Amino acid sequence: MVKYFDLFDMADVIRSKNAGPYEFTFDIIFKDADHFEEFAKADIMTPAVFAKLYNIPETDIISVIYFAPAKAVKITIIRPMASGDLGEKDIYGAQQHAPLLDFEYTL
């Protein structure tokens, strides 16, 4: 059976933010436990998948945590440059989640 996942339709919240000056964190908070469990059971958001989506080395991914009590997935990565460094374009890390908005996956 083919299963299709559209993250934008499954989640209430998709966001990014600072996790200190050297890390970004991404939160995906699902609409309900059923959507979360379906996504988690399929183990879709792996470090390899996230690295490919963001075109970063898998070694830059610090963690991918599925947290059932919050119906959420939290991904933390190394920032390409420190928050506030000369040339850094998103000091708060709030604009990094855009690739997740279009994330679709078929099993």
Side-chain angles (χ1 to χ4, degrees), residues 6-9 14-15 54 97-104:
D6 182 343
L7 198 54
F8 190 79
D9 290 337
I14 300 173
R15 66 183 174 205
Y54 276 84
H97 62 283
L100 290 170
L101 297 175
D102 295 327
F103 183 77
E104 298 172 348

Side-chain angles (χ1 to χ4, degrees), residues 19 22-26 50 54 56 60-63 75-80:
Y22 306 108
E23 299 172 359
F24 286 132
T25 194
F26 300 81
F50 194 85
Y54 276 84
I56 60 174
D60 282 359
I61 298 173
I62 297 167
S63 63
I75 303 106
T76 303
I77 67 169
I78 297 170
R79 288 179 73 110

Side-chain angles (χ1 to χ4, degrees), residues 1 25 71 105:
M1 181 171 112
T25 194
K71 304 179 307 255
Y105 200 87

Side-chain angles (χ1 to χ4, degrees), residues 40-61:
K41 183 178 178 185
D43 194 27
I44 292 170
M45 195 54 66
T46 64
V49 167
F50 194 85
K52 185 175 180 181
L53 181 64
Y54 276 84
N55 196 28
I56 60 174
E58 198 171 331
T59 55
D60 282 359
I61 298 173

